[in-house]
Amino acid sequence: MSAKFIFITGGVVSSLGKGLASAALAALLQARGYKVRLRKLDPYLNVDPGTMSPYQHGECYVTDDGAETDLDLGHYERFTGVPARQSDNVTTGRIYSDVIAKERRGDYLGGTVQVIPHVTDAIQEFIGSDLTDEDFVLCEIGGTVGDIEGLPFLEAIRQFGNNQGRDRSCYIHCTLLPYVRAAGELKTKPTQHSVKELLSVGIQPDVLLCRSERDIPAGERRKIALFCNVRESCVIPALDVDTIYDVPSTYHREGLDVEVLRHFRMLEDAADEAVDLSRWREITSRVRAPEGTVTIAVVGKYTNLLDAYKSLNEALAHGGIANRVKVELRWMESELFETEDPIHHLEGVNGILVPGGFGERGAGGKIEACRFARERDIPYFGICFGMQMAVIESARNLAGIREASSTEFGETKEPIVGLLTEWQRGNVMEKRSVADDKGGTMRLGAYPCVMDPESRVAAIYGSRNISERHRHRYEVNVGYRERLEETGLHFTGMSPDGILPEIVERKDHPWFVGVQFHPELKSKPFDPHPLFESFIAAAVKQSRLV
Ligand code: GLN
């Protein structure tokens, strides 16, 4: 293991954008040709965020290897293109459950099991695990310095740095400089306190990333440097930007990557010419100068918390970047359509998207949205639950299966969508039962899908074979295939064994696609997902018709 480790902590307040900052720094190092890896250490007690409400914690990001992880891993993957893995996210819950399992097995040979060293050792083991030839491993510590839960993690990274040597580890602390209007000043005191708090657990930050709404005057930078014991050039202003994709370039201008390289005594590599930011410049210039606008209605349930649909939000923006248009999103509570005619809300939109979701509440409204899109030739994109609802809609309104439903909503005579308890993953048969624990028991992670070569989706992907990420318990029932295909809803993507419908599409419609997987998880600004690119292209076309 020859990697250098960068630890990112946060202070003063939460929601400073530490995840984005970590992703942006990784992108900068990558733009210099280094191999990077990003990890998130979350101090909460859930074993993983899979069971957490998206209202509380935002989206649950799923990796190829089937881990349900923190949404910051989505930022990491979007900014670097490096596929996130199970081994990139850990929580206090997982660490403790491993330590306790070891204790039960007797692995500690009669010793007293304690936070230090057993828990901190387990955290350090995680930090150094599953690495190959990475140049830099960036580990973000969730939460804010001073939280009780975070202490074992801070202690573990302190020990890790000590064991590795200071030239192999760097501590970046992300803080806030609030602007106090009455005084007309940016205040440095909260930052000073936060650094003191870090020092009290033995960590001297090497770089301070100072989030601020306004320019930080040189005098304030000097003051922070003096009081926080860092070099002045290591007080990096991190001002708000108009697009998140400008963060790497902004940090570069402020010298973040150079300071990190200086810390590691790698200044010989720090020349400005060695960093290629052209991909980020291209993205930001497209974001800032779109050639048009399309409006997409996203009909879901967690529409009042955008973090619940983080990747979706980004993937739609990527579709816009690819088509050089701005994508305006209209988030709508699907329940609205259960009492009101969708026309009042959906007229004039250029595309309708029903995203993933769980539970019966609002399902009727989503089905109405599908119907509206289908009948009025508005581009429709159904993702996971959105595909299931589209299938139920066609079954009920076109195939005459009036009682078509999903067993997710209770027993039904017509389980168009049902619980599948066995499926093939590689060479392994995965089994689930209704009574299983809720955590980690869905069809999770990457599964292959084979497409009909004549289909629209095969043309969109430019290939017949794809692999996409899943997170669901229920499946469209292949037993209804024929009756549904007669209505024009074609099953154009299937699992390789032909049992699980993965993609449906309508051929009698300008753009109507439902997918059982979550394509939004793999979209990147510099490599927009083909389905999002195509969906937005269809919306652009639609906008020219109205
Ligand atoms: N609730 C549905 C299922 O479990 C869909 C899940 C989703 O949209 N991610 O199958």
Side-chain angles (χ1 to χ4, degrees), residues 225-368:
L226 184 66
F227 282 97
C228 298
N229 196 24
V230 297
R231 200 195 313 238
E232 200 179 316
S233 57
C234 289
V235 180
I236 310 281
L239 269 53
D240 297 343
V241 286
D242 58 344
T243 156
I244 56 169
Y245 298 120
D246 198 28
V247 176
S249 312
T250 310
Y251 285 179
H252 173 65
R253 269 197 304 280
E254 300 294 356
L256 177 62
D257 47 335
V258 171
E259 290 308 326
V260 167
L261 292 177
R262 186 202 304 273
H263 172 87
F264 288 121
R265 304 184 204 289
M266 296 166 75
L267 265 187
E268 68 280 5
D269 297 350
D272 231 21
E273 308 77 67
V275 55
D276 178 8
L277 294 173
S278 49
R279 111 190 328 187
W280 298 105
R281 269 197 296 273
E282 172 66 18
I283 293 163
T284 47
S285 79
R286 285 188 184 214
V287 170
R288 287 182 181 140
E291 290 166 8
T293 303
V294 292
T295 307
I296 304 293
V298 183
V299 182
K301 209 158 62 169
Y302 308 117
T303 46
N304 49 359
L305 180 75
L306 290 188
D307 267 1
Y309 296 116
K310 192 87 219 166
S311 296
L312 180 69
N313 208 349
E314 295 304 317
L316 284 161
H318 303 162
I321 291 171
N323 288 283
R324 296 181 179 273
V325 293
K326 179 173 169 22
V327 178
E328 231 159 53
L329 299 183
R330 230 184 262 170
W331 299 88
M332 289 179 195
E333 280 291 330
S334 59
E335 270 182 312
L336 264 180
F337 308 146
E338 289 169 12
T339 48
E340 292 173 38
D341 190 334
I343 190 147
H344 303 309
H345 304 278
L346 293 177
E347 196 165 33
V349 302
N350 311 119
I352 296 175
L353 190 149
V354 175
F358 291 84
E360 191 170 15
R361 183 173 72 77
K366 293 177 187 175
I367 293 173
E368 281 311 307

Side-chain angles (χ1 to χ4, degrees), residues 462-535:
S463 148
R464 272 196 72 190
N465 294 291
I466 51 164
S467 165
E468 292 279 6
R469 296 181 194 167
H470 292 248
R471 181 173 188 252
H472 54 103
R473 220 169 248 120
Y474 298 86
E475 308 278 351
V476 171
N477 191 337
V478 72
Y480 288 91
R481 179 173 186 167
E482 256 174 50
R483 287 162 77 188
L484 285 161
E485 291 202 331
E486 276 166 21
T487 75
L489 187 74
H490 294 271
F491 288 36
T492 49
M494 300 293 291
S495 58
D497 60 8
I499 293 175
L500 303 175
E502 307 283 35
I503 307 176
V504 296
E505 66 183 81
R506 298 202 71 88
K507 300 203 169 140
D508 56 358
H509 187 282
W511 208 98
F512 193 102
V513 175
V515 295
Q516 188 56 76
F517 43 81
H518 288 276
E520 71 275 23
L521 300 175
K522 296 219 306 198
S523 186
K524 287 146 201 112
F526 42 82
D527 184 15
H529 192 286
L531 287 174
F532 283 91
E533 180 171 351
S534 171
F535 174 57

